[in-house]
Amino acid sequence: MKHYRVSAFVFFILSLVTGCIPRSSVPELINTPATITLTPTDPFQGEAAKLKPFLGNMTGAFILRYDSNGKKTQVNLDIEIWNYGKKVKSVGGIGDIFFTPNKEDRKEIELIISIDTVAVLGQDNMNHIKIGIVHESGTTLYGLSPPTDHKVMGRGIISYHEPQSFIAQGTIRVWGMQMTSANHMITADFSQESLSKVEQAILFTLRFDD
């Protein structure tokens, strides 16, 4: 029996090397779905606490890690306005957030997002959105100022508090800010049921291009 087991083991190894075992029985890592892992971080930890007066309370940060055994698709960050659980319009975004000029594989970035609602005399209020992308080469900063016709009485952050993993396809909501014209807020998350109760929200969504 011992001799049989040794012979069977040798046959198995040789079969892997020579390809005698059908390919379907050998796991193909290339078919493993790509994943995005989101890990929340504290944007005001340590010395960064001194930046809070400049960025404000409507600020969040998280690390995105992109793992893939095959060719990666482009990842875009879209900024959308939602009313009571329905997307109303897109107001901007950033394309290819994992971009690297030397075509090396960039797996991890940190996003820092801050929103200030600024009143403009005689005009609609402006949501001044600041986005920082931190990577191994430095930091890239973006600024967008989409107008809003919404009378804001209260604001609150919608975010994840624990690490999350997603299949890298379709769209993924990663951060947001809810707004209300009333003097009360609700506790909200990214589920459709929860968003259907939110008067208005700015949602930041990952979108994957083939």
Side-chain angles (χ1 to χ4, degrees):
M1 180 64 70
K2 183 176 181 181
H3 175 73
Y4 172 77
R5 288 181 177 176
V6 172
S7 299
F9 178 75
V10 172
F11 172 76
F12 179 72
I13 296 298
L14 290 175
S15 298
L16 286 178
V17 175
T18 59
C20 294
I21 292 180
R23 293 184 62 189
S24 60
S25 64
V26 180
E28 296 187 13
L29 293 178
I30 195 170
N31 291 328
T32 303
T35 59
I36 285 282
T37 301
L38 181 153
T39 304
T41 59
D42 183 356
F44 303 122
Q45 187 174 16
E47 292 187 0
K50 60 187 177 184
L51 299 176
K52 191 169 185 177
F54 301 96
L55 294 176
N57 292 325
M58 297 298 106
T59 300
F62 49 90
I63 293 172
L64 292 177
R65 181 176 177 84
Y66 191 4
D67 291 302
S68 174
N69 292 311
K71 181 181 178 181
K72 290 185 175 180
T73 58
Q74 179 173 306
V75 186
N76 309 295
L77 181 69
D78 293 338
I79 307 172
E80 304 166 345
I81 302 296
W82 285 59
N83 290 351
Y84 292 111
K86 295 182 179 180
K87 178 182 173 181
V88 176
K89 59 183 176 180
S90 296
V91 293
I94 302 172
D96 201 2
I97 59 175
F98 282 88
F99 170 78
T100 174
N102 53 17
K103 296 184 179 181
E104 291 183 358
D105 186 19
R106 175 171 289 161
K107 288 190 174 183
E108 193 170 280
I109 59 174
E110 181 176 14
L111 265 67
I112 303 173
I113 303 173
S114 178
I115 304 178
D116 281 331
T117 302
V118 181
V120 181
L121 185 62
Q123 301 180 31
D124 290 337
N125 291 342
M126 304 289 289
N127 283 317
H128 187 47
I129 301 171
K130 290 166 280 188
I131 302 172
I133 300 179
V134 184
H135 43 75
E136 72 281 355
S137 302
T139 303
T140 307
L141 300 175
Y142 301 90
L144 302 166
S145 297
T148 175
D149 56 3
H150 197 73
K151 184 179 179 181
V152 178
M153 296 293 291
R155 302 183 298 167
I157 290 175
I158 307 173
S159 64
Y160 292 106
H161 301 288
E162 299 291 338
Q164 307 287 324
S165 291
F166 309 93
I167 300 297
Q169 62 184 20
T171 58
I172 302 171
R173 301 161 189 161
V174 292
W175 197 82
M177 184 185 79
Q178 65 162 309
M179 298 173 287
T180 177
S181 59
N183 285 319
H184 67 275
M185 303 287 294
I186 66 169
T187 301
D189 57 34
F190 293 109
S191 67
Q192 190 61 38
E193 180 182 1
S194 180
L195 290 175
S196 67
K197 302 174 184 177
V198 174
E199 185 176 345
Q200 187 171 94
I202 301 176
L203 296 183
F204 294 78
T205 303
L206 299 183
R207 174 173 49 84
F208 299 87
D209 287 346
D210 295 331

